[in-house]
């Protein structure tokens, strides 16, 4: 009888005698013991032809696995040191399988998380052992992740050119047969699972993975969104300079993906560099889009352990619909897909308002948002990201279980959530109790969003914003407000006066920010009395016409308040939101005194939206793009304004504070239903209470 023995260190031999068999067994065990002493760990034990290996990333254990190929499992530890796209795997690879053999629940969870990650983003994990490269990819047919494919090749057999050819992994039968795909195959032109925002954010990641601007892992760094434990390793094929591109070193035309350096947060803040109230307006827009009924804006002092003193913190709190986990992920993403439909009642469009607004107002911001069934906390911070190579944004999400909100482990692990909470506590004035106190503002089934911003923008040795708390009493002089410390008016063509309150008083700006105001807005605890301009004019004239083939309606009249302040011009609204104020046209530019008090109101939504998705509005929503429709609009407004001046002003002797500048109708807004009503002609509106 002949026996056949296979050893990982010996070639197969056939034995004809018992003595030969004993000698071979002794030699085999000696070889195995040498291998064990040579290995870095004890996971190289053999089970028949099966070998056990520990899979690690950044020195963190993922899972113990069983490998079917002893020749690549002699080293009992596989350290993953790179994540690459599957389409760039080398050609001519051999393949085998590995199966998870978890030692505890942690390894089981990490294995499933790691496999889901590779499968979702079509990635391969690269490990090197001596002279061999191993590429680990998930099985396309195993939804339970009971095994994975290992494709391998000895480095001395890989061509020096390192050419990479795209593979259609859908044709790989679990790694046993590979089929080359032409590089022009349209199926490989883009990756699946594209986020609607146009850029992905990945919050449930394997140890040490990082995020690029599409949400898929990238070789520039191991920092990840929502995980502050990643290392800062670099890869020789990548470069960084603010916004850095990751280049695949391939001879065929490749794709470049962009990752954001933390310095980009400062760049975002420059969007509203010329007027800081534009940053606050971004939050007001978001609250209106969320159908909020009440919005509170205030600045209060809060003690900071980091600063060792009280510091001011801006709070923006609404009772809108709130944001789900997916929605808040899109909000913190850098840009998003613009809406396909043009909703005239919706203001948000570019997906950058939250980031540009927060980073203009301060260095750090915490967002607490709640829907009917979820609650999420997000932390956008320059302080947290100092010294890092890619932006980290910790997020924690809870879901409703009965009457309680509990951590949603379907989105992130408890360990990751705890790490994110620790980051928030370390770099903010908040702790878990303070966050819980703020969450209590939502009440039991309430919804809404709270934004807190600190390390506010500075003006010299103090802050750019100055705030005054409201006081009890009916006089408007006792109303709380937030001011620009400089009190400087914005620059406008033909403007001579410096008394333009809406330029440096947040309360004055919010009085006229919406064409049809319905949302109750409080500033420093005092209600803002909305002032829809078209309802507060004297000698009103309505002019209808057409601009660029689109119908427009202009309301012109005289305003007592603006006459006294020496102001005039057109207020241009888009989607019901003020974009330009006091725009002087026609003779208003050069003949200001005659035009004082003349105000125009127009909604230019139809003119500035071309119907094909293009919008002629700056992304900070504080001006319009210089384009043909805007030039035609200026010409039309100039003609109508000059006609109004000729027909109404030159023939009338204007008396300052005279009865001629009383509005044509007295309007009042109901504090409960927010509707506007006309008062009787003999009713004195000054007798009405503040509320």
């Amino acid at each position: 009888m002949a026996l056949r023995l296979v050893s990982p260190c010996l070639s197969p031999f056939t034995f004809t005698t018992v003595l030969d068999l004993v000698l071979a067994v002794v030699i085999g065990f000696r070889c195995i013991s040498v291998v064990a002493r040579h290995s870095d760990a004890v996971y190289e034990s053999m089970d028949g032809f099966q070998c056990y290996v520990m899979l690690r990333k950044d020195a963190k254990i993922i899972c113990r696995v069983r490998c079917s190929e002893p020749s690549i499992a002699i080293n009992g530890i596989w350290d993953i040191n790179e994540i690459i796209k599957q389409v760039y795997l080398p050609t001519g690879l051999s393949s085998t399988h590995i199966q998870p053999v978890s030692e505890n629940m942690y390894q089981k969870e990490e294995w499933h998380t790691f496999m889901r990650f590779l499968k979702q983003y079509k990635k391969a994990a690269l490990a090197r052992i001596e002279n061999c490269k191993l590429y680990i990819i998930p099985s396309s047919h195993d939804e339970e992740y009971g095994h994975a494919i290992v494709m391998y090749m000895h480095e001395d057999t890989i061509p020096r050119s390192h050419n990479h050819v795209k593979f259609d992994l859908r044709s790989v039968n679990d790694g046993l047969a590979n089929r080359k795909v032409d590089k022009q195959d349209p199926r490989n032109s883009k990756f699946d699972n594209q986020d609607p925002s146009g850029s992905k954010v990945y919050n449930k990641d394997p140890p040490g993975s990082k995020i690029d601007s599409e949400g898929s892992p990238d070789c520039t760094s191991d920092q990840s969104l929502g995980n502050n434990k990643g290392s800062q390793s670099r890869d020789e094929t990548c470069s960084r300079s603010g916004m850095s591109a990751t280049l695949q070193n391939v001879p065929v035309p490749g794709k470049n993906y962009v990752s954001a350096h933390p310095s980009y947060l400062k760049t975002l803040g420059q969007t509203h560099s010329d007027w800081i109230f534009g940053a606050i307006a971004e939050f007001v827009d978001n609250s209106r889009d969320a159908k909020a009924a009440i919005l509170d804006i205030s600045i209060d002092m809060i003690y900071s352990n980091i600063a060792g003193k009280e510091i001011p913190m801006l709070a923006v709190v609404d009772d809108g619909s709130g944001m789900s986990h997916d929605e808040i992920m899109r909000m913190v993403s850098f840009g998003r897909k613009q809406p396909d439909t043009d909703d005239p009642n919706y203001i948000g469009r570019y997906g950058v308002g939250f980031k540009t607004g927060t980073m203009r107002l301060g260095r750090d911001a915490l967002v607490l948002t709640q829907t009917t069934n979820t609650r999420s906390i997000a932390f956008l911070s320059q302080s947290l990201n100092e010294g890092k190579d890619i932006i980290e944004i910790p997020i924690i999400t809870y879901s409703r279980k009965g009457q309680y909100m509990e951590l949603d482990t379907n989105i992130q692990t408890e360990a990751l959530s705890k790490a994110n909470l620790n980051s928030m506590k370390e770099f903010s004035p908040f702790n878990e109790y303070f966050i819980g106190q703020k969450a209590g503002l939502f009440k039991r089934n309430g919804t809404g969003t709270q934004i807190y911003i600190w390390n506010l923008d500075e003006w010299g040795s103090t802050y750019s914003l100055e705030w005054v708390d409201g006081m009890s009493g009916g006089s408007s002089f006792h109303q709380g407000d937030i001011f620009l410390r400089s009190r400087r008016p914005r620059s406008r063509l033909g403007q001579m006066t410096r008394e333009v309150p809406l330029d440096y008083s947040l309360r004055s700006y919010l009085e006229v920010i919406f064409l049809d105001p319905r949302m109750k807005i409080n500033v420093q605890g005092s209600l803002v009395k909305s002032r829809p301009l078209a309802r507060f004019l004297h000698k009103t004239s309505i002019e209808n016409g057409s601009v660029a083939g689109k119908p427009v309606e202009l309301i012109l009249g005289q305003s007592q308040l603006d006459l006294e302040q020496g102001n005039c011009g057109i207020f241009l609204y888009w989607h019901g939101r003020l974009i330009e104020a006091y725009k002087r046209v026609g003779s208003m530019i050069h003949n200001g005194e005659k035009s004082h008090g003349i105000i125009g109101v127009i909604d230019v939504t139809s003119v500035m939206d071309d119907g094909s998705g293009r919008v002629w509005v700056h992304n900070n929503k504080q001006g319009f793009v210089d384009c043909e429709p805007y030039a035609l609009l200026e010409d039309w407004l100039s003609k109508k304004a000059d006609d109004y001046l000729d027909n109404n002003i030159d023939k009338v002797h204007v008396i300052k504070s005279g009865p001629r500048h009383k509005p044509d109708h007295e309007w009042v807004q109901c504090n409960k239903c927010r509707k506007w009503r006309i008062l009787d002609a003999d009713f004195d509106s000054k007798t009405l209470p503040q509320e």
Side-chain angles (χ1 to χ4, degrees), residues 360-375:
R360 174 64 177 93
L361 290 160
R363 286 173 48 83
D364 307 286
L366 186 138
V367 182
L368 181 61
T369 184
Q370 180 167 304
T371 66
T372 304
N373 297 312
T374 66
R375 177 186 299 161

Side-chain angles (χ1 to χ4, degrees), residues 97-110:
H97 292 75
I98 56 175
Q99 295 86 30
V101 186
S102 306
E103 297 176 315
N104 49 48
M105 286 301 298
Y106 170 82
Q107 291 187 15
K108 184 176 181 180
E109 291 179 359
E110 287 299 304

